[in-house]
Amino acid sequence: MTSVISTPEIPLPPTQDELPCDDGIPMETQRHKLQMDLLLDTLQFWLDQREDGYIGGNMFIYFSTEQARNQDFRGPDFFAVLGVPKTERKSWVVWEEGKAPNVVIELLSDSTKQEDKTRKKQVYQNQMRVPEYFWYDPFNPEDWAGFSLQKSEYQPLEKDEKQRYISEQLGLAFVQWQGSYKGVETVWLRWETLEGELLPTERELREQAETKAEKLANKLKELGINPDEV
């Protein structure tokens, strides 16, 4: 008589619908929240010109089932992924998506900077293999650094002649910009094209459109044409 050997079923890894997507921990300060918003809002304009890609902030990234079980790692303040569909996510699950982020940014604070510069950096380097990692302190602009994954280890990036860090992954630059964003005047971290043009906020886009319309109206008036009739 031949005995039948049953093979135990191997449980499938959890999906984003089965994983926690909120740890109940708020952003550090208003400025941290605004800095994250500024990075996301301006890069969204750039992303809209692409056929693929995803950006997120303060969202869980799951890179291993062990990490998912232990819930021992909170997501970064900002991350960008290229070559993926533009769909909504509850969290970023590496085994579902097939890849980790291309770029990660952490916004430092007194309570997080030690972990961001040590444990999290090691996770991004050794376990997630994130090609580019940056950190920035919204209250101390001098504490700003970038790293590129070279031969399995992060190597410090050097600023260019304009004192910018270049993200080769995105083909964009990081620049420190002194100005007001949503009523807060400080030095902000912003995206810039390699040619030196800031990626605009929604307000800046609106102001640019208004200025362009005003110039056109003035030009029509000079030609003796009523703008309201055009």
Side-chain angles (χ1 to χ4, degrees):
M1 181 176 179
T2 304
S3 60
V4 179
I5 301 176
S6 61
T7 303
E9 292 186 4
I10 299 175
L12 295 174
T15 67
Q16 62 172 298
D17 291 327
E18 299 167 324
L19 292 164
C21 59
D22 181 12
D23 59 6
I25 301 176
M27 293 291 293
E28 292 288 330
T29 66
Q30 176 189 5
R31 190 178 298 185
H32 282 81
K33 174 63 165 60
L34 290 176
Q35 176 63 87
M36 185 183 75
D37 289 345
L38 181 57
L39 290 169
L40 289 168
D41 292 348
T42 52
L43 196 62
Q44 185 63 52
F45 173 75
W46 172 86
L47 187 64
D48 288 343
Q49 318 305 312
R50 295 177 55 90
E51 295 182 354
D52 60 73
Y54 184 81
I55 56 176
N58 200 26
M59 176 189 289
F60 279 153
I61 294 182
Y62 290 98
F63 56 88
S64 74
T65 52
E66 179 182 358
Q67 170 254 343
R69 286 194 300 270
N70 297 335
Q71 299 183 29
D72 62 352
F73 182 64
R74 188 180 172 210
D77 295 311
F78 171 91
F79 67 94
V81 198
L82 302 180
V84 295
K86 291 181 174 181
T87 59
E88 181 185 11
R89 275 89 169 177
K90 294 180 180 178
S91 55
W92 191 265
V93 183
V94 172
W95 56 83
E96 281 191 319
E97 304 287 351
K99 65 179 301 184
N102 294 77
V103 177
V104 163
I105 304 172
E106 291 288 3
L107 302 176
L108 307 180
S109 68
D110 290 341
S111 63
T112 67
K113 67 174 57 178
Q114 182 63 28
E115 182 171 349
D116 291 337
K117 293 181 177 183
T118 56
R119 191 175 78 92
K120 279 194 173 183
K121 183 184 175 189
Q122 291 299 309
V123 168
Y124 296 138
Q125 171 185 279
N126 299 331
Q127 294 168 269
M128 292 175 60
R129 315 299 295 160
V130 175
E132 292 177 347
Y133 174 50
F134 299 86
W135 70 56
Y136 183 70
D137 187 338
F139 286 94
N140 180 16
E142 292 184 3
D143 200 348
W144 181 32
F147 303 87
S148 175
L149 195 62
Q150 305 290 338
K151 297 181 179 179
S152 301
E153 290 189 1
Y154 277 140
Q155 300 300 323
L157 292 173
E158 298 292 334
K159 296 175 186 174
D160 69 1
E161 67 280 359
K162 297 179 181 179
Q163 295 303 299
R164 309 178 303 176
Y165 281 119
I166 304 299
S167 169
E168 292 188 1
Q169 290 290 307
L170 302 182
L172 295 170
F174 289 108
V175 63
Q176 290 184 341
W177 174 78
Q178 175 74 47
S180 178
Y181 178 66
K182 295 187 177 180
V184 177
E185 176 79 24
T186 189
V187 177
W188 300 102
L189 185 65
R190 290 191 60 169
W191 303 101
E192 189 175 77
T193 67
L194 300 183
E195 294 73 31
E197 295 184 8
L198 287 172
L199 298 194
T201 64
E202 288 188 13
R203 179 177 178 178
E204 288 167 345
L205 281 172
R206 186 168 59 251
E207 291 174 346
Q208 290 171 12
E210 292 172 353
T211 299
K212 185 177 180 180
E214 183 178 348
K215 287 182 178 180
L216 178 58
N218 291 334
K219 184 66 175 179
L220 291 173
K221 288 179 181 179
E222 292 175 3
L223 298 173
I225 302 173
N226 186 347
D228 296 332
E229 296 177 354
V230 176

